[in-house]
């Protein structure tokens, strides 16, 4: 709660500006915290018929449904503008309403789903409250309780039901930020919201402001203030509720999710390794690279070794055949028998001479 007021103290203008129109529309078409302030409508006479009690609890909404739809639509657009604006403030450090259509489109559908479910739950809860109030009326009247005592019991019942209702819808408040920040579907966001706030005292931050605002609304009803005063009080109660609930939801979501907030620590104070490495890479590409002699020599040695291993083996020089030598040997082989014949002929001639 203190963190929410601290944030609003410095950055109140955006949620207030975004919620002015929804609060104006709502103050003329509805009454805030009617789950509690309906007690003043009994006018100190709690013993009424069932139809009168039903009309007090539901007002004209059961006959004319369009005011409820109009109030819900403007509340959805206002909450989408506030939540998306604060989310952008936490992510970028800049708080502005620039490009409001884009801000609304960023979160309007998750918020519309959450508001629709919460509205349906509120209708069911009001029917349950109507049954309990009727039970108290019938029982107190049967036991002849004084009107003041019966009204006190109905008031205590209304406050107790209001607190339980707040406990039930507290996880629903975080469906929208889970969906538009993490991109979860509705079913996953609903399941994650209960795990996200489990064991955390989230309701305490909502309890005291809401009870105070409901007390103011109830006091105005008991005092039977003029219509103009009632409208003015309704406007400020709606405005305070809308601003506080939306800001508290986003702040608490970022806190329990442990997400970084750039509105607290700007980008210049936080090292960003991804951007830093990219910048270093760009600078390295621009600067000429100095050759590394050791690496170059190692590459050259490896290349020489590879070339040496890939060099084909030296061809063996074959001797040419010696044609002259073979012919000489052939002639010598052919001349040998002729010499032998000539020698034997000369020996025969010599022998004949000797005989004569």
């Amino acid at each position: 709660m203190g963190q929410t007021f601290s944030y609003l103290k410095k950055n109140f203008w955006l949620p207030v500006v975004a919620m002015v129109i929804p609060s104006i529309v709502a103050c003329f078409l509805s009454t805030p915290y009617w789950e509690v302030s309906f007690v003043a409508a009994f006018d100190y006479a709690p013993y009424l018929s069932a139809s009168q009690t039903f009309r007090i609890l539901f007002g004209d909404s059961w006959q004319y449904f369009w005011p409820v739809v109009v109030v819900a639509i403007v509340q959805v657009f206002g909450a989408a503008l506030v939540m998306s604006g604060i989310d952008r403030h936490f992510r970028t450090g800049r708080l502005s309403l620039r490009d409001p259509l884009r801000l609304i489109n960023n979160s309007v559908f998750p918020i519309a789903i959450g508001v629709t479910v919460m509205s349906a739950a509120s209708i069911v809860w009001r029917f349950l409250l109507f049954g309990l109030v009727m039970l108290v009326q019938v029982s107190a009247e049967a036991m002849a309780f004084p009107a003041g005592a019966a009204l006190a019991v109905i008031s205590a019942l209304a406050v107790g039901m209001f607190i339980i209702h707040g406990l039930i819808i507290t996880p629903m408040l975080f469906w929208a930020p889970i969906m538009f920040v993490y991109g979860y579907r509705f079913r996953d966001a609903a399941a994650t919201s209960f795990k996200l706030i489990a064991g955390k005292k989230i309701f305490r931050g909502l309890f005291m402001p809401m009870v105070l605002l409901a007390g103011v609304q109830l006091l105005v009803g008991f005092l039977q203030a003029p219509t103009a005063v009632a409208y003015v009080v309704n406007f400020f109660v709606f405005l305070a509720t809308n601003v506080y609930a939306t800001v508290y939801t986003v702040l608490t979501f970022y806190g329990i999710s442990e997400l970084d907030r750039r509105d607290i620590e700007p980008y210049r104070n936080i090292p960003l390794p991804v951007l830093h490495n990219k910048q270093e890479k760009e600078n390295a590409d621009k600067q000429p690279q100095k050759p590394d002699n050791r690496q170059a020599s190692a590459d050259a040695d490896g290349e020489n070794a590879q070339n040496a291993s890939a060099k084909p083996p030296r061809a063996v020089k074959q001797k040419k055949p010696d044609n002259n030598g073979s012919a000489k040997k052939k002639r010598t082989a052919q001349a040998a028998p002729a010499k032998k014949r000539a020698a034997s002929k000369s020996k025969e001639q010599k022998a004949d001479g000797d005989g004569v």
Side-chain angles (χ1 to χ4, degrees):
M1 184 172 65
Q3 187 179 10
T4 304
F5 285 115
S6 177
Y7 179 83
L8 287 173
K9 184 178 180 181
K10 299 178 181 179
N11 309 289
F12 70 92
W13 67 269
L14 187 145
V16 169
V17 170
M19 284 298 181
V20 166
I21 295 178
S23 300
I24 292 175
V25 174
C27 76
F28 287 105
L29 299 178
S30 180
T31 303
Y33 300 102
W34 190 245
E35 294 85 354
V36 176
S37 58
F38 78 91
V39 178
F42 280 104
D43 196 16
Y44 303 99
Y47 299 123
L48 300 176
S49 63
S51 59
Q52 291 175 321
T53 304
F54 183 85
R55 190 175 184 86
I56 288 175
L57 278 171
F58 288 89
D60 295 331
S61 60
W62 64 281
Q63 290 179 332
Y64 307 102
F65 194 66
W66 67 266
V68 179
V69 176
V70 172
V71 171
I73 291 174
V74 294
Q75 294 293 324
V76 165
F77 281 98
L81 191 58
V82 173
M83 285 190 171
S84 296
I86 297 175
D87 176 63
R88 185 170 66 179
H89 185 207
F90 288 172
R91 288 186 291 105
T92 64
R94 296 188 300 270
L95 183 67
S96 68
L97 286 175
R98 184 179 180 181
D99 200 357
L101 294 179
R102 184 176 180 181
L103 290 176
I104 292 174
N105 185 61
N106 187 37
S107 61
V108 64
F109 293 107
I111 293 176
I113 294 173
V115 170
T116 302
V117 176
M118 285 189 286
S119 299
S122 298
I123 293 173
V124 174
W125 197 257
R126 193 167 293 192
F127 271 106
L128 180 60
L129 179 61
F130 167 72
L132 294 176
V133 170
M134 285 299 304
L135 179 62
V136 171
Q137 287 177 335
V138 173
S139 301
E141 188 175 9
M143 292 184 289
F145 271 27
L151 191 62
V153 174
I154 293 176
S155 300
L157 177 64
V159 173
M161 292 290 287
F162 173 73
I163 294 174
I164 297 174
H165 185 203
L167 287 171
I168 292 174
I169 68 172
T170 296
M172 301 180 186
L173 297 174
F174 296 94
W175 292 353
I178 291 174
M179 283 190 281
F180 73 78
V181 173
Y182 288 141
Y184 283 13
R185 296 177 298 178
F186 167 71
R187 182 175 59 184
D188 299 330
T192 304
S193 64
F194 291 100
K195 298 179 182 178
L196 192 65
I197 67 174
K200 301 177 178 64
K201 301 175 182 178
I202 304 299
F203 182 66
R204 286 187 178 183
L206 288 171
F207 177 72
M208 287 304 299
M210 300 304 161
V211 169
L212 290 175
L213 292 172
V216 171
Q217 192 67 35
L218 183 61
L219 180 63
V220 172
F222 273 119
L223 294 176
Q224 298 181 351
T227 304
V229 175
Y231 282 146
V232 172
V233 173
N234 289 352
F235 167 75
F236 282 106
V237 170
F238 268 122
L239 182 63
T241 302
N242 292 333
V243 169
Y244 183 84
T246 52
V247 174
Y248 178 80
T249 300
V250 181
L251 280 170
T252 306
F253 171 73
Y254 266 76
I256 60 181
S257 300
E258 298 181 355
L259 299 176
D260 293 334
R261 287 178 51 183
R262 303 308 182 194
D263 63 313
I264 298 177
E265 297 179 275
Y267 278 109
R268 62 177 180 273
N269 295 334
I270 300 177
L272 300 175
V274 175
L275 299 179
H276 188 60
N277 293 339
K278 183 177 180 182
Q279 186 176 4
E280 285 185 352
K281 185 177 179 181
E282 293 177 356
N283 295 336
D285 293 339
K286 294 179 181 179
Q287 295 179 358
Q289 296 182 355
K290 296 181 180 180
D292 192 350
N293 296 331
R294 291 177 297 178
Q295 183 67 25
S297 62
D299 294 341
D301 294 341
E303 184 177 357
N304 293 336
Q306 185 178 3
N307 293 336
S309 61
K311 188 175 182 181
R314 182 179 296 177
V316 179
K317 188 176 182 181
Q318 299 179 355
K319 294 183 178 182
K320 295 181 180 180
D322 191 358
N323 296 330
N324 296 329
S326 60
K328 184 177 180 181
K329 290 180 180 180
K330 187 176 182 181
R331 287 195 301 269
T332 304
Q334 291 177 356
K339 289 182 179 180
K340 290 182 179 180
R341 288 194 299 267
S344 61
K345 188 177 182 181
S346 63
K347 287 180 180 182
E348 290 177 355
Q349 290 178 358
K350 185 177 180 180
D352 292 340
D354 291 340
V356 174

